[in-house]
Amino acid sequence: AQSVAQPEDQVNVAEGNPLTVKCTYSVSGNPYLFWYVQYPNRGLQFLLKYITGDNLVKGSYGFEAEFNKSQTSFHLKKPSALVSDSALYFCAVRDMNEYSSASKIIFGSGTRLSIRP
Amino acid sequence: KAGVTQTPRYLIKTRGQQVTLSCSPISGHRSVSWYQQTPGQGLQFLFEYFSETQRNKGNFPGRFSGRQFSNSRSEMNVSTLELGDSALYLCASSLDRVGTDTQYFGPGTRLTVL
């Protein structure tokens, strides 16, 4: 069975510093990985995804994520944090080996990112 | 292109009642998924529809049901509401039922059960 873990409930970073939001996953086959962001009282907004190819994926708002197959991780990163990046971030995985039996996307528990001025 | 829309945005019901939530996907999208979001359980998958067929279902009781119409609009219904059903219900649509497709989410319907 597939699973995804976000080990940190909250990450605090000073504005202008680099940020990392961690995500690890477990699948039986090849993973499709996603990052979403949720602002208060809003739905989830797509940031980026990894399907295949280059391990470094670039997404919206200056975010990027690095796929590491050996460590089964897909950490979200940004070189310089902004106060406006403060939000709830979700990692998600779909196991493509299970696709034929109608796999579903599993979301992590979320990490609250707080950027202080 | 208009995004995913969900109606109503807010809903207050009492225990034992039933409720129907509506989701209109992005034009051209054929897959619609529903999620329940609560502070304690996070985001949990309810079900997925593609071309009017339920293709996948999460681990929720039979009180939760859904359907999709020929225009891809979807509804979900919860019967015999319980206090624990209070949550943000999110709908997401994607172009096709392929694992690589990005899901785009609506703003959600916040259901409060009293």
Side-chain angles (χ1 to χ4, degrees):
Chain A
Q2 65 200 74
S3 65
V4 59
Q6 293 181 244
E8 301 158 316
D9 290 336
Q10 176 132 0
V11 171
N12 300 308
V13 177
E15 188 175 30
N17 284 0
L19 68 88
T20 299
V21 183
K22 296 179 181 178
C23 171
T24 59
Y25 65 90
S26 174
V27 296
S28 59
N30 294 320
Y32 286 1
L33 294 154
F34 305 82
W35 274 102
Y36 285 86
V37 60
Q38 185 178 34
Y39 296 99
N41 300 314
R42 302 279 294 276
L44 275 66
Q45 294 180 31
F46 170 74
L47 280 178
L48 50 80
K49 66 181 177 184
Y50 172 82
I51 304 302
T52 186
D54 195 346
N55 289 343
L56 186 63
V57 179
K58 294 190 183 297
S60 306
Y61 311 121
F63 283 94
E64 58 189 30
E66 185 169 11
F67 171 65
N68 188 317
K69 188 172 183 178
S70 62
Q71 297 185 4
T72 61
S73 67
F74 190 56
H75 300 333
L76 181 70
K77 300 180 180 183
K78 187 173 182 180
S80 179
L82 299 172
V83 172
S84 57
D85 292 330
S86 298
L88 187 57
Y89 290 79
F90 290 94
C91 180
V93 65
R94 188 197 289 267
D95 184 347
M96 290 317 295
N97 263 26
E98 294 182 10
Y99 184 68
S100 60
S101 60
S103 70
K104 51 186 180 286
I105 292 180
I106 300 296
F107 283 82
S109 55
T111 297
R112 189 162 300 281
L113 179 62
S114 178
I115 310 299
R116 61 183 183 273
Chain B
K1 243 183 200 180
V4 178
T5 58
Q6 292 186 246
T7 57
R9 291 292 312 277
Y10 301 91
L11 207 49
I12 299 176
K13 292 285 188 179
T14 56
R15 280 182 299 174
Q17 287 187 309
Q18 77 165 21
V19 66
T20 299
L21 311 181
S22 181
C23 171
S24 292
I26 292 172
S27 177
H29 284 194
R30 295 191 289 169
S31 175
V32 173
S33 297
W34 287 90
Y35 297 85
Q36 181 196 64
Q37 185 178 19
T38 59
Q41 299 296 319
L43 265 168
Q44 292 189 286
F45 172 77
L46 280 157
F47 23 67
E48 177 185 12
Y49 287 88
F50 178 76
S51 293
E52 301 180 67
T53 301
Q54 186 181 92
R55 300 302 292 266
N56 208 341
K57 191 177 188 305
N59 297 322
F60 278 81
R63 300 185 296 108
F64 291 81
S65 63
R67 58 178 176 169
Q68 186 181 34
F69 302 96
S70 58
N71 61 358
S72 294
R73 190 177 70 85
S74 177
E75 288 181 347
M76 68 163 280
N77 185 76
V78 187
S79 62
T80 319
L81 284 166
E82 300 177 359
L83 294 179
D85 297 333
S86 294
L88 181 67
Y89 290 87
L90 293 165
C91 165
S93 75
S94 62
L95 189 61
D96 200 345
R97 202 189 163 280
V98 177
T100 59
D101 284 341
T102 299
Q103 290 191 332
Y104 294 91
F105 284 78
T109 294
R110 184 163 297 280
L111 172 64
T112 301
V113 182
L114 302 176

